[in-house]
Amino acid sequence: MDLFDNIVENEPRNVQLAPGAVLLTGFARSFETPLLAAASSVVECAPFRHLVTPGGHRMSVAMTSCGTAGWVSDRTGYRYTAIDPETRQPWPPMPDAFVDLALRAADKAGYANFRPDACLINRYGPGAKLSLHQDKDELDFNAPIVSVSLGLPATFLFGGLNRNDKTARYRLAHGDVVVWGGPVRLAYHGVLPLADGYHPLLGSQRINLTFRKTR
Ligand code: MD6
Ligand code: FE
């Protein structure tokens, strides 16, 4: 018997990245249709945009948000707002399909009763990347973050609590969900430049949903 015969390809696995951080492979796959429909309806009301960092760089990842808070960046800094500065309207409400998936994934990872108030939607085209960062603009670090990958696969970097800590690499594919919190809630992480490719549902892009409790 081959050593790998017991690893069935595409079978969902739970991979611990660190104590408090888990990759649930394929967890969102069976929700892809409602999730993508819900994402499209959000984007119709709050279009993707390339934000500018406080340092003046235009981000290669296009972003939008839904929920009672949305994440924005400009020359003055990073923050959550109730109003989308582009549309001057409240961010679209968080779709039920989003809330439901985030709650289930967090629960599976050991974080019961997760109630996100914000979902940041990131769109990566070929070459788009996210430099190493911490998610630290939220007021409540007790709640975990739930991150859903859709479309093209990406290489995710996961480091430690200090910027210079060694990073590990993980491949995040369509339907994969990462949940992290507790001792690694403030871990540095990032995404390497997206390789070009074609995904049957999303074409040459990757969509990432990150759910947070901001307050
Ligand atoms: C991404 N994700 O996967 C970017 N942040 O496109 C994040 O920045 C992230 O995946 C906090 C927790 C999980 C994440
Ligand atoms: Fe992040």
Side-chain angles (χ1 to χ4, degrees), residues 100-188:
D100 185 54
L101 179 84
L103 176 69
R104 288 186 201 222
D107 193 73
K108 177 115 186 166
Y111 297 98
N113 302 313
F114 178 51
R115 298 274 178 239
D117 59 2
C119 176
L120 177 56
I121 307 179
N122 295 321
R123 186 188 65 193
Y124 296 72
K129 65 178 173 68
L130 201 56
S131 306
L132 216 56
H133 67 279
Q134 293 172 294
D135 288 19
K136 61 175 184 186
D137 301 318
E138 302 75 26
L139 297 176
D140 182 358
F141 294 142
N142 292 310
I145 293 184
V146 171
S147 166
V148 180
S149 294
L150 297 165
L152 286 179
T155 303
F156 188 60
L157 301 177
F158 184 75
L161 300 178
N162 297 109
R163 183 177 286 281
N164 295 325
D165 291 344
K166 185 176 180 311
T167 58
R169 295 179 175 206
Y170 298 92
R171 181 175 184 273
L172 297 184
H174 179 74
D176 288 353
V177 178
V178 181
V179 181
W180 81 54
V184 291
R185 176 61 182 73
L186 292 174
Y188 277 88

